[in-house]
Amino acid sequence: MIEDLVVAFLTRYNYYMAVIIMLIGLYAMIAKSNLIKKVIGLNIFQTAIYLFYISIADVEGGTAPILVPGTDVVYVNPLPHVLILTAIVVGVSITAVAYALAIRIYQSYGTIEEDELLELGSERR
Amino acid sequence: MKRWAALLTVIVVGALLLWAEGDMPAFGDPDAPAHAHVAPRYIEEGAEETGAANLVSAILADFRSFDTLGEITVIFTAGVSVILLLRRGERL
Amino acid sequence: MRENVVIRTVTRLAVPFILVFGLYIILHGSSRAGGGFQGGVIVASAFILIGIAFGLDETQRRIREKVRTIASILGISIFIGIGLLCILFGANFLGYAAIPLPLDTPWVRGLMMEAVEIGIGITVMAVMTSIFYDVATKEEGE
Amino acid sequence: MISEHLPILAVILPLVGALTVLLAGWAERRYCYPVAVAVLTIQFGLSLAILREVLRGGTIHYYLGDWAPPWGIELVVDHLSAYVLVILVFLSLLSCIYAKRSIGGEIDPQKTVAFYVMFLLLVVGVCGITVTGDIFNLYVFLEISSIAAYTLVASGREKKGLLAGFNYLIMGTISACFILIGIGHLYVVTGTLNMADLARLLPPLYDSTIIHVAFIFFIVGLSIKTALFPLHTWLPDAYSHAPSAISVLISTVISKMGIYATIRILFSVFTVGFIVDHLPILEFFAWVAAIAVIAGSVIAIAQTDLKRMLAYSSVSQMGYIMLGIGIANSVAMTGGVLHILNHALIKGCLFMVAGAIIYRVGLRKIDDFKGLAGRMPYTCAAFFIAAISMIGLPPTVGFMSKWYLTLGAIEAGEWFFVVVILASTLLNAIYFWRVLEYAYFRHADAETPELESRVPVSMLLPMLVLAAGCVVFFFAVSIPLGIIDAAVADLLGGA
Amino acid sequence: MATIHSIVPACAVLVPLAAAVLILLSRRHEKIREGWTILAAAANFLIVLSLLPQVLAGDRVACTLIELLPGLDMAFRVDAFGMIFALVASGLWIVTSIYSIGYMRALREHALTRYFFSFAVAIAAALGIAFSANLVTMFIFYEILTISTYPLVAHTETEEARKAGRKYLAYLITAGVFFLFSVILTYFLTGTTDFQPGGILAGTGPVILQQILFVTFLIGFAKAAWMPLHGWLPSAMVAPAPVSALLHAVAVVKAGVFGIVRVVCYVYGIELTAEIGMGTLLAVIAGATIITGSLLALQQDNLKQRLAYSTVSQLSYILLGVALLTPMGITGAMLHVPFHAFMKITLFFCAGALIVAAGVEYVSDMKGIGRRMPVTMLMFSIGAIGICSLPPVCGIISKWYLVLGAMQAHNLAAFLVLITSSVLNILYFFPIIHTAFFEEPESGREGVREAPLSMLVPLAITAVGSVLLFLAPDVAFLRLVEVAIGELTGVLP
């Protein structure tokens, strides 16, 4: 039983790692009060997803999918790399927008702590 | 309160993912379905068909180039977003 | 920091190399590791470095702003243009093979991919720089 | 020659339009608006042409780069896509027309250019989602429209809009990440990203936990996007603090886009075989939707701010549509899909009215609306018609969707849902009638401030068009029904 | 029995609607606006009248407007029973219009455009209900009627009026929901919603479902003000008198009972209703409402409230007549629709005249008012006598048939209820007449004169009309009822 688990873990450890990193990011996104930390959490979350995708692509003994002369070269699956390239760009874009928003919030409210922002918001009501 | 909500979310999401990960094909398994369906053609014929040795580029700029168009639209959108949010006092 | 001679000198020396490296990455996308995104970001980093080292000079920025905007439009336009060109020659959108060049199909494809990568590179470079400048600029009166 | 390229043009046109607006605005800021309207008008014609093509020749497949799927990306336009596309483009057009004057007081004039560019980019994303047949492509376009939406929500002068935008961004990104995780898991087990290919490859794998988990992540992610109760937390702030034209846009276009994506994933990727026969997941979905219908309405009753009330009403209405889909027989689904049209008309109109009231007299609290009908007769008339349609009374199209939903629930033997659908009528009546009573049957205590002399035509016309639409589609309901029947048959075809 | 296709029924509905639009357009010109109202009322009555010969000949006039949903048309079909309701509604609209103008001018009421607009829409809806060929069409106009009469109820915009308006809507929209449910369930069970003389529901669905459906139909027709769903009617009396007169004595409440009769006779069919025991249920409800309504009317001091409770009670006459499920009973019920309308509208007109001319709203304030306003109170007496089923007013005819029906059904309880109710009617009406004519007037009423002619003439017309209907019942209504009964029982005249 334990052995099975260990084997399961050892053969899939990077999926598990990706999951753990995802969870860290997700926790930060929800629980952190500082808006910048939320964005950092968001980045961690996304990075973990990249890791997940890249793990999917891996083939044992494979090399980067750039053709080299030779017949029995094993290449890793190129498709997830492409997807993740796209996802990275999306992540960068979202981060940029998030920081821009955070900057504007700081300019308008003078703080980026969510608790204080909520208080300020309710006072104005 | 918020912390507990976050923790709960994390636990649920984590449990789901870990549950699924147990069924995943082993890391690096060359027989995984992911490598069996669409990918082989990219690897075997992609270079000849597109003239690019870099298969990632071949897919990025040819097979799935529409994704890439979407992608630079995303980044363009982000650029305009930042302009819209932050730039002041100028035209544009 | 504005007065830091070391940083300015190093920047002056490094920027040409960064730019060349970035262009190399963009242009070698189809045969070696590289591509429009990566190269574009590298080129952008050169401009960002200039901004950090020399300050966001107002006048300089005005010129750059126009260039950046045009560049970002240009990049996407190259991409869309190639796609529409393919339609014009009777293929589907982005069906590079239809473009009548006196070359074999893989070569045409490769060439078009290269053009697309350049488009991507230009846009990414322009937008990244633009984002950096916008985020780094303080609001007036602050 | 053009006709075979219509699907891709539906994505490219607004993108080129966005670039054109940027250039035009660079030359002269006031050129932006006419260019944007012109682009959207052409886009509307284009979407109608697509609809005609689909009605004439059935589903359109378009292989990008001439690569056959699953290797390349495929655009698929079936009846549902074409139907949703026409609605969304039409609403975008109207809210763009509406934006001209309404953003005057809400957005810095320097930002006008970027605003319209953003507006068109949002349309790019939305149109991309409706026509694509590839799940990763769907994700990319989802992000385009989402980023545009986050920014547009925060683009106004109102400070709270920023916070609303930020929260929307966080929730939206969680949702997008969930969808990305779902896509990854599907790719792991199938090796493909094409929707039709996935639908073909999935059935033997239905027992795999990976599929189940992927499904859950898709559904949760999409539910956040559609703001299905209890994942709606971002919605009220985003809707109520955005500039009015953007409230209109996101309440109609973005929410419908989420619904469309949900239907696509449920029925075109996982197919009826999975969601109905294999797992009782739709049953669960329907229950959540039913709770959303009631909870959204109840919270809406408690609101004092008109835009906020409308926002919670949206939560309830999204539940309505989802309920129709969750019941999953053809009649109820017809009701749900018809309600997409209905809700787009209604909510567009109502948010336009709310914006016009703010524009004209600067009021947003319902208690301040005393005697408003006398001062803004056309606006209040539009509100009245839209409210009637929301309550579901004839002669408005709201009646038709309610008819189908109820009939579908009866056919399914789900008496509880029948009660929910009918009870929501009453709840809707309560909160809308309160507004109408204030507007029509109370005298103003004192003279409320008059910000502008009158509501400009560019704001009045779109809302009257939408209000008229509510009535017209009651009598001409056979037009959308013809499309919807085919769409529903497509979706349930696998059963 | 032939079916004639004609657009005339649609015209009857569209004319008031067109008038409503014209009223809205001419909102700045008082005279023109009122001119449209009268013109439309007259035209409308003529249109309805033009259909009369065909209907009397046993033909039906049908008109399909538009196919709403597959198999569900928005369609009109004029039969004898619908004709009765349409004649009453359109005919009384003319007098009420004239009366309204006088009433509103005398009280210098506000928002008259809204008033006349809503009024015209309400009439259109009433005609739509009368002519509707199926449940869906009926539902559509039923809801339009609800919405369009709300502004009339809440017209004065006082807190009381708004409250009454809310109550009105709360009852009627809830009822509408039940009605909608019933329509959809009917459609689900039968695949159609057309009215058929023999009913459409027979042989579909389990009995329990049909029983539940019957109950939801009844709740759906809360406009019929049967107890305990009558609460909206007395509070709606805050509306101006012409509204109370036409809508709450004629159009709205009659639409409710009309609907119930339609459902019993044309959806369920007499036999099925009897078979599933729902006739008894309806009879019990109706009987209880008759007695309780009368008793409650006794306690009211506000004249319009008393009339409202009287309406509640009288409406259930019609329900009781139908519930007896005998030809005679149904004849009585159908006859009572127009007869009660004529009598009750007279009473409400008089109540309005009292308000305008003397500011009197309470029975206790009416001492000696008959000496100051003899015409008004004379007409009031005629109406009251009619309601009490005494000659020479038409009320006795319908009552006669109802009693015959009760006997035909061997229903002693119904018989007793009818008799008791007549006694109660006398008990609550005669004190009013007594107070008005025979008690000493209070001081300060010396200057009180009759109401303006524009009010007096209409109420005289309706009062005389109710007497004429007694003298010559078979001019129109009795013959129409005979046609309808013939159709229902399969025996054509």
Side-chain angles (χ1 to χ4, degrees):
Chain A
M1 173 70 196
I2 290 174
E3 241 170 81
D4 287 351
L5 280 178
V6 170
V7 169
F9 181 77
L10 284 180
T11 51
R12 300 177 178 83
Y13 58 93
N14 49 351
Y15 297 134
Y16 288 106
M17 286 303 156
V19 168
I20 289 165
I21 302 172
M22 269 181 221
L23 297 181
I24 293 169
L26 187 61
Y27 180 81
M29 270 174 103
I30 302 171
K32 289 294 170 190
S33 172
N34 186 313
L35 300 187
I36 299 296
K37 287 185 183 168
K38 270 180 190 282
V39 181
I40 291 172
L42 187 154
N43 279 329
I44 295 174
F45 192 6
Q46 286 182 329
T47 311
I49 299 178
Y50 309 155
L51 177 59
F52 176 78
Y53 269 72
I54 299 301
S55 309
I56 298 171
D58 190 66
V59 175
E60 206 155 25
T63 159
I66 298 168
L67 290 190
V68 290
T71 45
D72 20 312
V73 190
V74 179
Y75 299 104
V76 300
N77 188 343
L79 187 53
H81 291 96
V82 177
L83 302 183
I84 237 42
L85 209 51
T86 308
I88 288 171
V89 173
V90 170
V92 168
S93 307
I94 289 197
T95 311
V97 176
Y99 282 136
L101 277 169
I103 291 170
R104 279 294 302 279
I105 289 173
Y106 185 72
Q107 285 171 353
S108 310
Y109 289 87
T111 177
I112 48 168
E113 292 293 325
E114 201 177 31
D115 308 342
E116 294 170 28
L117 287 170
L118 288 177
E119 263 170 45
L120 286 173
S122 55
E123 272 168 23
R124 219 164 294 274
R125 208 165 271 272
Chain B
M1 176 57 207
K2 203 164 69 178
R3 249 155 229 255
W4 290 111
L7 212 57
L8 190 72
T9 317
V10 164
I11 289 170
V12 172
V13 171
L16 272 174
L17 281 172
L18 293 178
W19 180 44
E21 263 36 283
D23 265 15
M24 290 290 257
F27 178 54
D29 180 1
D31 300 325
H35 310 315
H37 182 44
V38 175
R41 160 151 181 200
Y42 291 147
I43 293 173
E44 283 153 25
E45 296 165 39
E48 291 111 71
E49 279 181 321
T50 65
N54 182 347
L55 295 174
V56 175
S57 286
I59 300 173
L60 189 85
D62 200 343
F63 288 103
R64 297 185 68 86
S65 49
F66 190 55
D67 260 357
T68 311
L69 178 59
E71 193 179 342
I72 60 169
T73 311
V74 168
I75 204 159
F76 181 71
T77 310
V80 182
S81 286
V82 175
I83 291 175
L84 181 56
L85 288 172
L86 289 177
R87 210 177 276 182
R88 300 206 149 194
E90 291 148 58
R91 314 169 73 185
L92 275 192
Chain C
M1 195 171 104
R2 293 254 161 96
E3 303 307 316
N4 196 323
V5 181
V6 177
I7 291 181
R8 290 193 169 189
T9 313
V10 171
T11 303
R12 229 173 248 138
L13 287 173
V15 161
F17 290 102
I18 300 175
L19 285 177
V20 169
F21 181 58
L23 289 176
Y24 170 82
I25 294 283
I26 294 177
L27 293 173
H28 272 248
S30 59
S31 53
R32 302 244 62 83
F37 286 100
Q38 300 88 321
V41 172
I42 292 170
V43 174
S45 72
F47 294 128
I48 292 170
L49 189 60
I50 294 172
I52 290 174
F54 296 95
L56 310 167
D57 191 57
E58 193 63 37
T59 48
Q60 198 184 8
R61 238 185 81 213
R62 278 217 176 273
I63 307 162
R64 288 255 171 88
E65 191 187 302
K66 278 187 182 173
V67 175
R68 282 198 310 263
T69 312
I70 289 184
S72 60
I73 295 176
L74 182 72
I76 300 187
S77 303
I78 290 174
F79 206 137
I80 299 174
I82 289 175
L84 292 177
L85 209 61
C86 300
I87 291 189
L88 211 61
F89 287 116
N92 277 354
F93 191 73
L94 293 170
Y96 304 139
I99 290 179
L101 288 178
L103 292 168
D104 292 341
T105 305
W107 277 98
V108 178
R109 285 187 175 277
L111 215 61
M112 288 301 125
M113 279 167 56
E114 212 57 76
V116 163
E117 295 271 16
I118 291 169
I120 296 169
I122 293 172
T123 297
V124 170
M125 179 271 294
V127 172
M128 284 298 165
T129 322
S130 158
I131 289 176
F132 170 77
Y133 276 99
D134 284 327
V135 170
T137 313
K138 280 187 181 171
E139 206 183 339
E140 292 96 39
E142 222 180 300
Chain D
M1 183 192 113
I2 292 292
S3 66
E4 59 193 271
H5 296 292
L6 284 174
I8 184 67
L9 289 179
V11 184
I12 295 303
L13 179 72
L15 183 53
V16 173
L19 302 178
T20 318
V21 168
L22 191 54
L23 283 173
W26 206 2
E28 175 65 53
R29 196 187 292 146
R30 64 196 156 83
Y31 292 163
C32 285
Y33 173 73
V35 173
V37 170
V39 168
L40 285 171
T41 310
I42 301 171
Q43 173 80 351
F44 181 56
L46 198 65
S47 61
L48 284 178
I50 292 178
L51 181 63
R52 204 187 59 182
E53 286 291 311
V54 171
L55 287 177
R56 191 187 290 164
T59 308
I60 305 173
H61 294 269
Y62 188 84
Y63 300 160
L64 281 160
D66 289 317
W67 295 112
W71 291 279
I73 292 174
E74 177 195 23
L75 300 184
V76 180
V77 187
D78 61 5
H79 288 87
L80 181 69
S81 321
Y83 167 77
V84 173
L85 183 70
V86 170
I87 294 175
L88 298 188
V89 173
F90 184 60
L91 261 299
S92 312
L93 172 62
L94 286 187
S95 45
C96 187
I97 294 172
Y98 180 84
K100 183 188 182 189
R101 297 291 293 274
S102 86
I103 60 169
E106 292 172 317
I107 290 176
D108 286 334
Q110 303 103 335
K111 295 187 171 180
T112 323
V113 180
F115 177 84
Y116 284 114
V117 174
M118 218 56 190
F119 199 104
L120 285 175
L121 286 171
L122 193 147
V123 176
V124 173
V126 167
C127 293
I129 288 171
T130 47
V131 297
T132 191
D134 185 285
I135 45 173
F136 195 79
N137 205 233
L138 183 125
Y139 164 79
V140 172
F141 282 110
L142 199 69
E143 284 294 11
I144 295 175
S145 57
S146 299
I147 291 178
Y150 309 145
T151 315
L152 285 172
V153 164
S155 65
R157 284 206 179 107
E158 206 185 339
K159 273 162 70 176
K160 282 187 196 162
L162 295 169
L163 266 184
F166 191 86
N167 283 332
Y168 184 16
L169 183 141
I170 293 291
M171 287 301 276
T173 308
I174 292 180
S175 135
C177 286
F178 277 18
I179 293 169
L180 199 54
I181 294 174
I183 294 172
H185 281 84
L186 284 188
Y187 181 74
V188 166
V189 287
T190 60
T192 183
L193 296 167
N194 184 281
M195 288 184 189
D197 204 29
L198 277 167
R200 189 175 59 79
L201 288 171
L202 281 178
L205 303 164
Y206 278 165
D207 287 320
S208 152
T209 49
I210 297 180
I211 298 291
H212 292 184
V213 168
F215 181 77
I216 293 168
F217 274 92
F218 266 119
I219 289 307
V220 174
L222 289 167
S223 299
I224 296 174
K225 281 270 186 251
T226 45
L228 191 60
F229 188 85
L231 301 171
H232 67 285
T233 48
W234 57 269
L235 182 142
D237 283 335
Y239 281 20
S240 52
H241 299 310
S244 299
I246 298 309
S247 298
V248 174
L249 189 69
I250 58 174
S251 69
T252 54
V253 172
I254 292 285
S255 61
K256 297 301 163 304
M257 173 200 88
I259 296 272
Y260 171 81
T262 312
I263 298 177
R264 262 290 155 250
I265 297 294
L266 280 175
F267 290 91
S268 297
V269 175
F270 286 95
T271 70
V272 179
F274 183 73
I275 54 181
V276 176
D277 303 341
H278 194 73
L279 282 181
I281 199 83
L282 273 189
E283 180 84 23
F284 175 75
F285 213 61
W287 278 92
V288 174
I291 295 168
V293 170
I294 297 298
S297 298
V298 169
I299 302 172
I301 290 173
Q303 301 304 315
T304 54
D305 178 316
L306 179 61
K307 276 176 102 175
R308 246 185 133 68
M309 182 191 98
L310 295 178
Y312 278 109
S313 157
S314 275
V315 173
S316 157
Q317 297 294 308
M318 289 297 113
Y320 224 68
I321 299 173
M322 284 303 177
L323 186 57
I325 291 156
I327 293 171
N329 59 29
S330 63
V331 180
M333 278 198 54
T334 307
V337 177
L338 181 61
H339 203 66
I340 293 178
L341 168 68
N342 180 30
H343 184 246
L345 295 173
I346 299 169
K347 264 297 144 52
C349 183
L350 291 174
F351 271 110
M352 282 179 184
V353 168
I357 294 173
I358 292 171
Y359 179 84
R360 163 97 197 266
V361 287
L363 298 175
R364 38 191 314 165
K365 290 264 182 285
I366 295 166
D367 296 356
D368 297 335
F369 289 177
K370 288 173 185 162
L372 206 61
R375 304 164 73 192
M376 307 176 70
Y378 293 109
T379 312
C380 287
F383 186 91
F384 172 72
I385 294 172
I388 292 288
S389 192
M390 175 74 88
I391 298 168
L393 299 179
T396 54
V397 65
F399 168 71
M400 291 299 171
S401 49
K402 193 165 74 174
W403 172 278
Y404 272 104
L405 282 171
T406 317
L407 188 60
I410 290 178
E411 201 175 293
E414 301 275 13
W415 298 102
F416 176 75
F417 295 151
V418 176
V419 173
V420 166
I421 293 165
L422 295 176
S424 87
T425 306
L426 297 177
L427 296 171
N428 286 342
I430 290 172
Y431 57 81
F432 278 112
W433 213 268
R434 189 177 45 154
V435 180
L436 289 171
E437 196 189 286
Y438 270 99
Y440 279 95
F441 292 97
R442 278 176 201 260
H443 297 294
D445 316 322
E447 272 306 298
T448 32
E450 195 101 354
L451 296 185
E452 292 281 340
S453 54
R454 50 192 300 197
V455 181
V457 179
S458 69
M459 293 171 77
L460 207 51
L461 193 69
M463 72 173 91
L464 291 180
V465 166
L466 289 176
C470 292
V471 178
V472 166
F473 280 113
F474 171 78
F475 293 105
V477 75
S478 50
I479 298 169
L481 273 184
I483 310 164
I484 293 168
D485 281 345
V488 170
D490 286 349
L491 295 177
L492 295 176
Chain E
M1 183 184 72
T3 304
I4 304 160
H5 290 277
S6 157
I7 57 159
V8 178
C11 289
V13 177
L14 290 177
V15 164
L17 280 181
V21 174
L22 290 170
I23 288 166
L24 214 54
L25 290 178
S26 52
R27 61 184 175 279
R28 304 206 195 290
H29 311 281
E30 199 181 338
K31 291 266 161 54
I32 299 177
R33 185 180 61 200
E34 288 159 1
W36 287 126
T37 304
I38 304 228
L39 198 66
N44 200 35
F45 183 62
L46 289 178
I47 290 172
V48 175
L49 216 54
S50 74
L51 291 167
L52 189 60
Q54 291 153 351
V55 175
L56 278 178
D59 294 337
R60 292 163 160 212
V61 185
C63 167
T64 300
L65 287 184
I66 191 168
E67 187 181 41
L68 287 179
L69 306 169
L72 277 182
D73 295 329
M74 188 164 159
F76 294 130
R77 192 166 59 224
V78 187
D79 62 1
F81 181 45
M83 197 63 203
I84 296 173
F85 185 34
L87 270 181
V88 172
S90 63
L92 292 180
W93 188 27
I94 305 176
V95 279
T96 314
S97 302
I98 300 167
Y99 182 86
S100 291
I101 294 167
Y103 181 89
M104 289 312 206
R105 283 207 188 142
L107 290 185
R108 299 180 194 290
E109 281 283 357
H110 66 289
L112 288 182
T113 304
R114 183 177 77 198
Y115 174 83
F116 284 112
F117 172 81
S118 309
F119 220 113
V121 176
I123 293 296
L127 286 173
I129 292 170
F131 289 162
S132 50
N134 53 42
L135 279 170
V136 175
T137 315
M138 191 183 216
F139 174 79
I140 290 166
F141 286 104
Y142 197 83
E143 293 288 15
I144 294 175
L145 185 59
T146 305
I147 299 295
S148 62
T149 46
Y150 169 82
L152 301 174
V153 173
H155 181 80
T156 56
E157 300 186 11
T158 57
E159 184 55 41
E160 195 196 358
R162 278 196 299 269
K163 223 169 129 187
R166 280 197 288 269
K167 194 169 181 182
Y168 182 79
L169 272 189
Y171 271 92
L172 294 189
I173 289 198
T174 314
V177 166
F178 277 92
F179 188 8
L180 177 64
F181 169 78
S182 317
V183 176
I184 296 176
L185 190 58
T186 310
Y187 179 70
F188 174 69
L189 289 174
T190 63
T192 174
T193 62
D194 287 350
F195 297 127
Q196 298 286 342
I200 52 174
L201 267 171
T204 56
V207 170
I208 180 74
L209 203 59
Q210 289 177 340
Q211 286 169 335
I212 292 170
L213 180 59
F214 194 89
V215 174
T216 56
F217 262 124
L218 278 188
I219 300 173
F221 292 113
K223 278 199 174 79
W226 53 271
M227 288 190 177
L229 297 181
H230 67 289
W232 59 272
L233 183 56
S235 22
M237 288 301 139
V238 297
V243 175
S244 310
L246 187 68
L247 299 179
H248 301 133
V250 184
V252 176
V253 290
K254 287 300 181 322
V257 286
F258 180 82
I260 293 182
V261 177
R262 269 281 192 240
V263 165
V264 171
C265 299
Y266 296 82
V267 174
Y268 274 79
I270 297 171
E271 280 146 35
L272 182 66
T273 313
E275 210 173 281
I276 60 175
M278 287 295 114
T280 321
L281 176 77
L282 188 58
V284 169
I285 290 175
T289 308
I290 291 172
I291 300 296
T292 328
S294 298
L295 287 173
L296 283 171
L298 270 175
Q299 301 164 7
Q300 305 301 321
D301 190 28
N302 183 317
L303 180 59
K304 281 174 78 182
Q305 293 280 344
R306 190 176 287 196
L307 294 177
Y309 279 107
S310 162
T311 306
V312 170
S313 156
Q314 293 286 315
L315 289 170
S316 281
Y317 273 38
I318 301 168
L319 299 187
L320 184 61
V322 173
L324 294 171
L325 299 172
T326 56
M328 281 298 171
I330 296 174
T331 308
M334 287 183 174
L335 273 181
H336 205 57
V337 171
F339 290 177
H340 173 250
F342 269 89
M343 299 180 299
K344 204 33 101 27
I345 203 169
T346 311
L347 293 172
F348 273 115
F349 280 169
C350 294
L354 287 170
I355 292 171
V356 167
V360 168
E361 286 186 45
Y362 292 93
V363 177
S364 48
D365 289 345
M366 287 173 66
K367 287 174 189 143
I369 202 86
R371 297 180 201 174
R372 301 262 165 234
M373 304 170 67
V375 181
T376 309
M377 285 318 294
L378 187 67
M379 300 307 162
F380 185 90
S381 308
I382 293 176
I385 290 169
I387 298 280
C388 302
S389 323
L390 297 174
V393 189
C394 55
I396 189 164
I397 298 177
S398 46
K399 189 66 153 290
W400 173 255
Y401 279 106
L402 287 172
V403 172
L404 279 183
M407 288 163 136
Q408 206 175 34
H410 305 293
N411 194 330
L412 185 61
F415 179 77
L416 287 177
V417 163
L418 289 167
I419 300 300
T420 318
S421 167
S422 282
V423 175
L424 288 171
N425 290 344
I426 294 171
L427 281 180
Y428 65 75
F429 271 125
F430 275 64
I432 303 177
I433 298 169
H434 181 259
T435 312
F437 281 109
F438 301 111
E439 287 189 23
E440 279 305 307
E442 287 171 16
S443 54
R445 284 272 166 73
E446 285 77 19
V448 172
R449 294 268 174 283
E450 287 283 2
L453 263 186
S454 57
M455 298 169 71
L456 220 49
V457 171
L459 68 87
I461 291 174
T462 52
V464 173
S466 16
V467 177
L468 287 179
L469 284 174
F470 168 75
L471 298 173
D474 52 353
V475 171
F477 293 118
L478 198 54
R479 281 168 64 197
L480 280 171
V481 172
E482 276 164 6
V483 173
I485 297 293
E487 197 180 87
L488 279 176
T489 50
V491 191
L492 280 173

